[in-house]
Amino acid sequence: MAHLTNELEQLLRTLDQGIQQQPGAGDAIDLILASPPRETRVRSLRNEPVVEAFRRELTDGFIRVDTANKLLSLVNTAVTAMMTK
């Protein structure tokens, strides 16, 4: 059971790192320095209700199919958004 929880934590760390490494607009240093500070609506999935529910059910040893589907859908949305940027 702990192995699966560790895998979930590793996945969330990977997604968090991907969010933090989003490239800035343009390559020129002057363009970057002249631009306003970046703002984002991106947030960590770590404390999302879907992740919390999955973590709780995983720890209890009983994962409902709808909870797993919600988690996979959330992860798919996050990964797809990161890959299309």
Side-chain angles (χ1 to χ4, degrees):
M1 190 63 61
H3 174 70
L4 293 175
T5 302
N6 290 340
E7 291 295 326
L8 175 60
E9 290 302 318
Q10 179 59 40
L11 173 62
L12 294 171
R13 276 193 296 276
T14 300
L15 290 172
D16 286 345
Q17 289 171 356
I19 290 168
Q20 294 170 2
Q21 295 174 1
Q22 290 294 314
D27 293 307
I29 293 173
D30 290 337
L31 177 64
I32 298 296
L33 294 175
S35 66
R38 292 185 64 204
E39 294 182 20
T40 182
R41 295 179 304 179
V42 176
R43 64 184 191 276
S44 173
L45 298 177
R46 183 171 307 282
N47 297 317
E48 286 293 308
V50 171
V51 176
E52 291 292 330
F54 183 83
R55 187 181 288 119
R56 183 178 53 255
E57 290 180 17
L58 180 62
T59 302
D60 292 343
F62 182 72
I63 301 172
R64 294 171 20 150
V65 172
D66 64 318
T67 302
N69 282 336
K70 289 176 185 176
L71 177 69
L72 293 174
S73 176
L74 180 63
V75 169
N76 182 53
T77 299
V79 170
T80 301
M82 285 183 359
M83 294 179 70
T84 59
K85 294 279 178 175

